[in-house]
């Protein structure tokens, strides 16, 4: 059977992988001063993208039985036999190889190590735990925040100690908890049917999200404190407080009243929260690059 572009996009979950690659790229541009179109910048984005694509491909090779059971994933290429598991594995390995070649040739060795750490921890720890323990959500959020660290490692070793970087890490970690619970409670029956071990007590889930609400707040303030302009620091702090209330706290309260009914709102609110945070980061990057251009 002929493999199509659509098959490849669905196997590697291209949209999700692209989103994953944007995170280290923004972290790299935020902490460094490289040109947007340099070879190193290209390698940061492309290396991250190919590794994310490899992760998703291997994940589908591993979880093909669960994918076949779940309504939201049953039309992926391997369950419907558009691709065999062998083909999926070979495609994933090709993406993995390209990522490592780019990272090895154009970026610091720390970046190569962290990129592989994300890959192997996602498949070896998170994917394995999904059918064994509800702690997988917490572990997955830590792994999902590591791309921020990857972006810092692509700049230099000292960037790993930057307060703004750890603010980004805390934000990504805590954001993912709310985001995932929005997805899980919307498709809870699907996940349970496939045998995934998740938090099924909405009270416990709500408690987790409230803890993450506090982490989000401190992380946002930590990042805001590193912005280049006093005015932007102020705008970021105010935006953070408003976003925490309107798109985080209120979403959690609605979730508590009816988890299944309001899960989709929780997921959508998390996207709005995410977009505001990263829009401010991009604005700061733009201001810093413009100042550098004027100074030269």
């Amino acid at each position: 059977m002929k493999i199509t572009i659509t098959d490849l996009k669905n196997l590697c979950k291209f949209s999700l992988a692209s989103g994953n690659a944007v995170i280290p790229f923004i972290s790299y541009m935020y902490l460094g001063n490289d040109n947007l179109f340099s070879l190193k910048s290209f390698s940061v984005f492309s290396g991250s993208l190919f590794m994310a694509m490899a992760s998703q491909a291997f994940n589908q090779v591993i979880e093909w039985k669960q994918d076949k059971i779940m309504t939201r994933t049953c039309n992926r290429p391997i369950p419907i036999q558009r691709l065999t598991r062998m083909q999926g594995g070979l495609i994933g390995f090709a993406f993995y190889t390209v990522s490592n070649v780019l990272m090895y040739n154009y970026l610091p060795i720390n970046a190569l190590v962290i990129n592989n750490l994300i890959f192997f921890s996602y498949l070896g720890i998170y994917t394995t735990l999904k059918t064994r323990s509800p702690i997988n959500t917490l572990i997955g959020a830590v792994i999902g925040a590591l791309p921020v660290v990857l972006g810092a490692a692509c700049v230099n070793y000292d960037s790993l100690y930057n307060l703004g970087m750890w603010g980004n890490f805390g934000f990504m970690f805590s954001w993912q908890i709310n985001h995932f619970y929005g997805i899980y409670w919307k498709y809870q029956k699907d996940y349970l049917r496939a045998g995934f071990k998740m938090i099924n007590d909405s009270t416990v889930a709500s408690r987790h999200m409230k803890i993450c609400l506090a982490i989000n707040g401190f992380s946002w303030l930590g990042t805001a404190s590193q912005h280049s302009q006093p005015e932007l620091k102020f705008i970021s702090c105010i935006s953070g407080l408003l976003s925490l209330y309107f798109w985080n706290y209120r979403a959690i309260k609605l979730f508590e009243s009816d988890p299944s009914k309001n899960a989709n709102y929780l997921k959508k609110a998390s996207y709005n929260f995410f977009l505001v945070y990263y829009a401010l980061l991009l604005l700061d990057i733009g201001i810093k690059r413009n100042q550098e251009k004027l100074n030269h």
Side-chain angles (χ1 to χ4, degrees):
M1 186 180 293
K2 184 179 179 181
I3 301 174
T4 66
I5 297 297
T6 300
D7 293 330
L8 292 175
K9 286 174 64 178
N10 291 336
L11 177 71
C12 69
K13 297 171 71 174
F14 183 75
S15 296
L16 177 61
S18 298
N20 289 342
V22 166
I23 302 304
F25 183 73
I26 291 178
S27 179
Y28 172 74
M29 297 302 293
Y30 178 68
L31 295 168
N33 55 8
D34 198 5
N35 186 287
L36 182 65
F37 301 105
S38 72
L39 180 59
K40 191 174 179 182
S41 295
F42 171 80
S43 299
V44 173
F45 181 79
S46 300
S48 303
L49 175 62
F50 282 115
M51 190 63 86
M53 291 165 68
S55 299
Q56 296 302 327
F58 277 113
N59 177 261
Q60 291 192 38
V61 170
I62 295 168
E63 293 186 344
W64 72 276
K65 289 183 179 179
Q66 287 88 352
D67 284 346
K68 193 172 183 178
I69 295 169
M70 296 176 70
T71 303
R72 66 187 292 263
T73 59
C74 64
N75 289 319
R76 286 177 176 174
I78 295 177
I80 63 173
Q81 300 182 338
R82 288 288 308 171
L83 295 172
T84 65
R85 294 180 72 202
M86 175 65 75
Q87 288 172 321
L90 289 173
I91 292 167
F93 182 74
F95 291 146
Y96 174 79
T97 302
V98 173
S99 173
N100 278 296
V101 168
L102 286 167
M103 290 275 180
Y104 178 79
N105 282 290
Y106 302 110
L107 297 170
I109 192 65
N110 289 334
L112 178 68
V113 171
I114 293 172
N115 204 26
N116 278 274
L117 174 64
I118 296 170
F119 176 80
F120 286 107
S121 57
Y122 177 78
L123 294 174
I125 301 175
Y126 172 63
T127 301
T128 301
L129 284 174
K130 283 168 72 176
T131 54
R132 298 187 181 185
S133 170
I135 200 174
N136 71 77
T137 302
L138 175 63
I139 300 298
V142 173
I143 296 168
L146 285 176
V148 172
V149 183
L150 171 60
C154 290
V155 179
N156 53 45
Y157 184 78
D158 291 340
S159 294
L160 294 172
Y161 299 96
N162 183 280
L163 178 60
M165 191 281 291
W166 286 108
N168 289 343
F169 180 88
F171 175 86
M172 279 303 300
F173 165 77
S174 51
W175 173 82
Q176 287 176 96
I177 300 294
N178 289 27
H179 180 67
F180 176 74
Y181 279 142
I183 295 173
Y184 173 63
W185 285 88
K186 183 178 179 180
Y187 301 104
Q188 187 180 31
K189 293 180 180 178
D190 232 8
Y191 278 91
L192 293 174
R193 192 184 305 120
F196 290 122
K197 307 293 184 184
M198 303 294 173
I199 299 292
N200 290 301
D201 186 335
S202 60
T203 303
V204 175
S206 177
R207 190 183 310 131
H208 289 172
M209 288 189 285
K210 286 177 179 177
I211 293 171
C212 287
L213 181 70
I215 297 173
N216 255 321
F218 285 116
S219 299
W220 195 305
L221 289 174
T223 304
S225 71
Q226 300 301 299
H227 286 327
S228 57
Q229 301 296 312
E231 297 85 356
L232 187 57
K233 291 179 182 181
F234 176 76
I235 291 170
S236 183
C237 288
I238 297 301
S239 300
L241 290 172
L242 292 173
S243 298
L244 281 167
Y245 177 73
F246 285 106
W247 289 323
N248 209 323
Y249 178 75
R250 286 181 65 191
I252 294 171
K253 297 304 290 183
L254 285 171
F255 175 83
E256 288 177 336
S257 66
D258 191 333
S260 299
K261 180 181 177 181
N262 295 310
N264 196 49
Y265 178 80
L266 181 66
K267 184 181 77 166
K268 288 182 178 179
S270 72
Y271 282 126
N272 293 332
F273 190 60
F274 180 91
L275 289 172
V276 171
Y277 180 84
Y278 273 97
L280 289 165
L281 273 186
L282 290 171
L283 179 60
D284 189 52
I285 292 169
I287 290 172
K288 286 193 288 188
R289 292 297 186 277
N290 186 58
Q291 286 179 333
E292 289 165 5
K293 188 180 295 185
L294 292 174
N295 291 336
H296 286 96

